Amino acid sequence: MNQKEFLDHLRYRTPNSDSYNVEPRSYKNAKGIDELVFLTRNYWDYADWLEETVDEVSIAEWVVHCDKNPCEGYTLSHQLMYWLWFDECNRFRAGDPTPNPYPPMGYEGWADEFHGA
């Protein structure tokens, strides 16, 4: 999925509410060049919560790590979104604190084969 396809997905295939508005933030990539990362508001809210709540979490470092370790078919924005979702799923499954008392969208059935459900 290229950047245009990813942005189209965010704009047209997510719920129509303010928490799903697409917002860019500028981060330094692995080469130290400013790059816009596009996520929906709910992912930025989770990223902000992580940085404020969890010791040693730096979204800027996650961006650099994602850029240094690309995943085929994922843009930098898409990969960071996946990492944030994956982190929240792991926290929810483990009973660790999350900003919401409910699982992230798409959690249902996630990793059941790995946890014997």
Side-chain angles (χ1 to χ4, degrees):
M1 176 180 303
N2 65 33
Q3 185 71 3
K4 182 187 178 322
E5 292 168 335
F6 176 68
L7 288 172
D8 285 348
H9 172 78
L10 291 182
R11 288 185 178 116
Y12 307 119
R13 301 194 80 195
T14 56
N16 186 16
S17 74
D18 288 344
S19 65
Y20 288 91
N21 287 341
V22 177
E23 297 181 11
R25 289 190 186 176
S26 181
Y27 283 94
K28 300 284 185 195
N29 64 21
K31 295 178 181 171
I33 299 168
D34 287 336
E35 185 164 342
L36 288 177
V37 176
F38 294 88
L39 297 177
T40 54
R41 175 79 249 146
N42 63 313
Y43 280 99
W44 287 130
D45 289 346
Y46 184 69
D48 293 342
W49 179 87
L50 274 176
E51 285 193 312
E52 293 168 5
T53 309
V54 180
D55 291 338
E56 300 180 18
V57 169
S58 166
I59 300 304
E61 289 176 9
W62 283 27
V63 168
V64 169
H65 184 82
C66 286
D67 195 35
K68 285 182 178 179
N69 299 281
C71 182
E72 185 176 344
Y74 282 68
T75 65
L76 178 60
S77 297
H78 192 176
Q79 189 171 349
L80 180 62
M81 182 180 82
Y82 177 76
W83 275 38
L84 291 165
W85 177 82
F86 190 79
D87 184 82
E88 189 172 3
C89 286
N90 278 331
R91 289 178 179 285
F92 188 83
R93 182 175 289 281
D96 294 337
T98 61
N100 301 302
Y102 49 83
M105 187 167 48
Y107 171 84
E108 293 78 18
W110 173 80
D112 287 343
E113 67 274 13
F114 301 114
H115 296 284

